[in-house]
Amino acid sequence: MILSYYKFLFKYFFQQSFVKMKLRRNNFIGKKCYISKDCILEGGNVINDYVYILEKVILKKNTSVGLRSVIANLEAGENSIIDCGVLCTGYGDGKIVIGENTYIGINNILDWSSDITIGNFVHIAGPSTGLWTHSSVNMVLKNVNLKNLSSPERYRLPINIEDNVYIGGNCTIYPGVTICNHSIVAPNSVVNKNVEPFTMVGGSPAKFIKNIDI
């Protein structure tokens, strides 16, 4: 048992050393990070301390990941920033795709139970804005076992955020929502319906506030 444990540790440290050595040629890698061997960093990326990069991650050129973030099933475009404490989590076969020059704020949560698509020049402020692509409400109401995460009662729907969108901190975005281009979601809002382009919404649930003229 002890021998198997040390074999595991040796394999883990050897693999991580090789992965980081290869990636450090064109990127900055902070201390005490874990990086999956299938991770692709295209160059000029900054990975800060204590970051976990799990499976199926592609970071295009000049993107950065902040302190203590955990990312998985994610592709980020050039010049984008994933700030400190961002958590990618979920159960399903979804994928998170982030465009160019887009900012994901401190302690935000991205749920890859279904797909999340985020456009270019999008700012999702922190802290604690959550993009949730699943709901377990029906599991609770219909006595579905918590371990049965593939149940149809745990429904999953994608989220689509188009280009040039600003979302304030402490917001919740519901499954199935589309937030159209050139729109603003005020802080502390709950978005359970689509947001039209060139509009500002806010509140719980979010309602129309005004048109945006640019």
Side-chain angles (χ1 to χ4, degrees):
M1 188 72 174
I2 294 176
L3 183 60
S4 298
Y5 174 72
Y6 282 111
K7 284 182 178 179
F8 168 79
L9 285 181
F10 177 79
K11 182 179 179 181
Y12 169 81
F13 285 113
F14 177 79
Q15 183 188 82
Q16 280 296 292
S17 297
F18 176 77
V19 168
K20 291 175 184 177
M21 181 177 64
K22 182 174 68 173
L23 293 176
R24 281 191 173 112
R25 295 171 188 168
N26 299 304
N27 307 280
F28 173 82
I29 309 294
K31 64 183 181 182
K32 296 187 178 179
C33 296
Y34 172 84
I35 302 178
S36 172
K37 63 181 180 181
D38 70 354
C39 172
I40 298 174
L41 305 183
E42 292 195 350
N45 306 105
V46 175
I47 310 300
N48 284 284
D49 299 343
Y50 306 104
V51 167
Y52 278 71
I53 298 181
L54 305 180
E55 67 279 353
K56 300 177 182 178
V57 171
I58 300 173
L59 301 181
K60 300 294 180 69
K61 292 180 179 178
N62 303 317
T63 62
S64 67
V65 182
L67 183 76
R68 300 186 188 278
S69 288
V70 179
I71 61 174
N73 298 318
L74 179 145
E75 178 178 330
E78 293 185 9
N79 304 311
S80 287
I81 297 173
I82 298 170
D83 214 330
C84 304
V86 171
L87 173 62
C88 298
T89 185
Y91 179 86
D93 54 3
K95 182 178 180 181
I96 302 164
V97 178
I98 299 170
E100 299 179 359
N101 292 282
T102 286
Y103 171 76
I104 309 296
I106 295 172
N107 293 337
N108 288 346
I109 300 175
L110 306 178
D111 171 22
W112 46 259
S113 296
S114 186
D115 293 337
I116 295 176
T117 305
I118 301 172
N120 304 318
F121 294 95
V122 173
H123 289 193
I124 303 178
S128 306
T129 289
L131 278 61
W132 296 103
T133 60
H134 83 278
S135 175
S136 59
V137 170
N138 286 340
M139 293 179 68
V140 173
L141 297 178
K142 298 182 179 182
N143 299 323
V144 177
N145 191 307
L146 188 60
K147 294 182 179 180
N148 190 6
L149 295 178
S150 60
S151 167
E153 303 302 338
R154 181 184 180 273
Y155 71 85
R156 295 172 288 171
L157 292 170
I159 290 173
N160 182 28
I161 299 172
E162 297 181 355
D163 298 342
N164 306 100
V165 168
Y166 177 86
I167 300 174
N170 198 35
C171 289
T172 300
I173 313 301
Y174 272 47
V177 163
T178 293
I179 301 177
C180 293
N181 64 89
H182 297 89
S183 59
I184 296 173
V185 177
N188 306 307
S189 296
V190 175
V191 183
N192 60 1
K193 294 181 180 178
N194 294 346
V195 177
E196 296 297 317
F198 293 94
T199 60
M200 180 178 183
V201 302
S204 179
K207 300 184 184 303
F208 172 84
I209 295 175
K210 66 178 182 179
N211 291 314
I212 297 172
D213 183 8
I214 60 170

